Amino acid sequence: MFDTTVTVVGNVLTAPEWRRTRESNQLVANFRIASTARRYDRENRCWVDGNTLRIRVSAWRRLAEGIASSITVGDPVIAYGRVFTRDWQDEEGNQRVSYEMEAHAIGHDLARGRARFYRTRAAATTVIEDAEADTMIGGEPADPMTDAPIGFGDGLPELLPGEAEPDFLEVVAGLAEEPPVEPDPVTAEVRRARRPKREPVAA
C-alpha cells in the first residue's frame, strides 16, 4: 500500500545474473546500477562528479528475459520500480544495509545512445538446475544459475544475406530561415518581406 517507487538514471555496474528462488522456484535476473550526480564547478569552470547511488536491481519473468538479452556492463539505463532496504549480517556478524529495487520497467537512456526495439515472442522458459548460494533476493533465498535461459543478444532477429545494419540519420538543429528580402518598387530600398497576417478564428 505504501510502496516507494522511484526512477533511477545511471549505468550498469554488473552483468545481469540469473537466479532461481528456493521457495517459489521463480526465475529472476539481478544486476547493479550506479547513478552519479553531476554539478558545475564555477571556480574551476568544469563539471565534477557528485554523490553516487549504487542500487541492486532485480527483475522477474518477462522483464528478466528482456534485461538479460539487452543489457550489458556500462550501458546507460533508466530503471523504474519499487525501492526498499534490506538488513543483513556479513560473515563477521556486522549489521549491513543494502538498497534494492524491484523493477517494473527498464530501458536504455536514448539521450546517450541509440537502440532499436524488437518485440518479444512468447516462448517456454527452460528449466535450469540450481546451485548452492546464500544470496537473498526480495527477502527470499536464491541460488545462482550456471546456464541462463537467455543471454546478451539472444532473440534478436538476424540480418538477411546482403542486408545492412540499421542506419540512423543525423538530425542537426538549425535556425529558422529568414523571410526573403525584396526591393521597394518606388524607393528601390530593400525591405524585408512582411509575414502574412493571421486572420482571427471564430470561436
Side-chain angles (χ1 to χ4, degrees):
M1 179 176 179
F2 298 106
D3 289 344
T4 302
T5 56
V6 299
T7 301
V8 177
V9 180
N11 292 81
V12 178
L13 276 180
T14 59
E17 178 187 20
W18 279 99
R19 289 183 177 273
R20 183 184 294 279
T21 58
R22 296 178 184 174
E23 298 176 6
S24 59
N25 202 34
Q26 294 287 334
L27 289 177
V28 57
N30 64 84
F31 62 99
R32 293 187 181 275
I33 292 178
S35 178
T36 303
R38 298 275 289 172
R39 64 179 182 85
Y40 186 73
D41 188 349
R42 296 183 182 275
E43 295 181 359
N44 299 320
R45 297 183 179 181
C46 64
W47 288 91
V48 295
D49 290 341
N51 297 326
T52 299
L53 168 68
R54 292 181 179 87
I55 189 168
R56 185 184 188 206
V57 180
S58 59
W60 301 77
R61 295 172 286 277
R62 297 286 291 275
L63 180 58
E65 295 178 6
I67 288 172
S69 176
S70 307
I71 289 179
T72 187
V73 176
D75 283 0
V77 294
I78 302 174
Y80 169 76
R82 181 176 66 92
V83 173
F84 56 94
T85 58
R86 181 172 60 87
D87 300 328
W88 54 283
Q89 286 186 347
D90 60 14
E91 296 178 353
E92 299 177 357
N94 298 320
Q95 294 292 331
R96 301 288 186 179
V97 177
S98 63
Y99 297 91
E100 300 189 9
M101 170 188 284
E102 184 177 336
H104 301 318
I106 295 177
H108 285 107
D109 184 358
L110 298 184
R112 295 156 60 191
R114 297 174 180 177
R116 186 172 180 179
F117 180 76
Y118 296 97
R119 189 170 299 279
T120 303
R121 295 181 180 178
T125 305
T126 307
V127 177
I128 307 298
E129 294 295 331
D130 293 333
E132 292 185 3
D134 56 0
T135 304
M136 302 282 290
I137 298 179
E140 184 178 349
D143 296 321
M145 301 179 61
T146 58
D147 185 17
I150 191 167
F152 180 74
D154 292 346
L156 300 181
E158 296 182 1
L159 295 176
L160 299 175
E163 185 179 1
E165 291 284 344
D167 187 18
F168 297 91
L169 297 177
E170 290 288 344
V171 180
V172 180
L175 299 177
E177 295 183 1
E178 291 290 332
V181 293
E182 301 175 355
D184 187 272
V186 178
T187 62
E189 293 179 357
V190 176
R191 295 182 179 179
R192 294 188 181 275
R194 295 182 178 177
R195 298 182 183 273
K197 185 177 181 181
R198 294 184 178 179
E199 297 294 334
V201 178

